[in-house]
Amino acid sequence: MLITIIIFFISICVAFGMLSFRAWELRTNRLSMVDSGERIRTDLSFRHIEKNMLYLTKHIVQGLVITIAKYWFITSTKTKKWVLEKWPQINDYFKSKISGPDGIKKTSFLRRAILESQAKIRRVKERVKEEHE
């Protein structure tokens, strides 16, 4: 979103600059007027520039995201390894607590809902498979 806003402001500034330059040319008579019969040919269209800018922006954003994710994973892995080696009691503190009898981990509501949904989907899939065979 921020990149879109920045590109928008840059394009507004460029458009204002182009209009100001054109007005200056007309004011100072530095422009020769073109006959109406002649056709002005533009080599670059706005759509062409827009496509190139979007293509470059996409690659820049993807590169940033991938680089940030890479260094985030490297940092988190090295931090975990360092904490395991240097401070094992702190690592034990952050481990998930096991609750329930006999050390069985209690499933959360969300995990239980996901497991139930997977079982229902499996049953529906088997029923459809049986009906259509």
Side-chain angles (χ1 to χ4, degrees):
M1 181 69 180
L2 181 66
I3 292 174
T4 306
I5 293 171
I6 291 170
I7 291 173
F8 174 75
F9 281 123
I10 290 171
S11 64
I12 292 293
C13 291
V14 169
F16 181 73
M18 288 170 49
L19 288 174
S20 299
F21 181 72
R22 180 72 173 180
W24 174 78
E25 281 182 332
L26 290 173
R27 243 192 338 259
T28 58
N29 290 329
R30 294 183 188 258
L31 181 66
S32 62
M33 299 304 276
V34 178
D35 294 338
S36 61
E38 290 184 30
R39 191 163 182 194
I40 300 174
R41 182 171 180 256
T42 58
D43 292 332
L44 285 175
S45 66
F46 180 74
R47 178 71 182 148
H48 184 70
I49 295 170
E50 180 186 21
K51 284 171 63 175
N52 287 338
M53 288 301 294
L54 287 174
Y55 182 77
L56 290 172
T57 305
K58 178 186 82 162
H59 284 290
I60 290 170
V61 169
Q62 283 178 348
L64 270 170
V65 168
I66 289 172
T67 304
I68 290 170
K70 174 186 169 186
Y71 287 113
W72 172 260
F73 289 133
I74 289 171
T75 305
S76 64
T77 304
K78 287 186 176 186
T79 305
K80 286 177 188 176
K81 186 176 177 182
W82 184 75
V83 167
L84 275 172
E85 290 174 358
K86 301 292 182 186
W87 292 331
Q89 62 271 28
I90 291 178
N91 186 50
D92 293 340
Y93 178 76
F94 284 111
K95 282 187 180 175
S96 61
K97 306 290 183 199
I98 297 175
S99 61
D102 301 328
I104 298 172
K105 188 175 181 181
K106 189 175 180 182
T107 57
S108 67
F109 175 78
L110 184 61
R111 183 69 186 148
R112 200 171 338 122
I114 291 171
L115 291 173
E116 289 173 2
S117 298
Q118 287 174 343
K120 287 179 183 178
I121 290 170
R122 225 178 288 120
R123 275 185 264 145
V124 168
K125 185 178 176 182
E126 289 171 2
R127 225 179 291 141
V128 168
K129 198 175 193 180
E130 289 172 2
E131 288 176 4
H132 292 284
E133 282 184 349

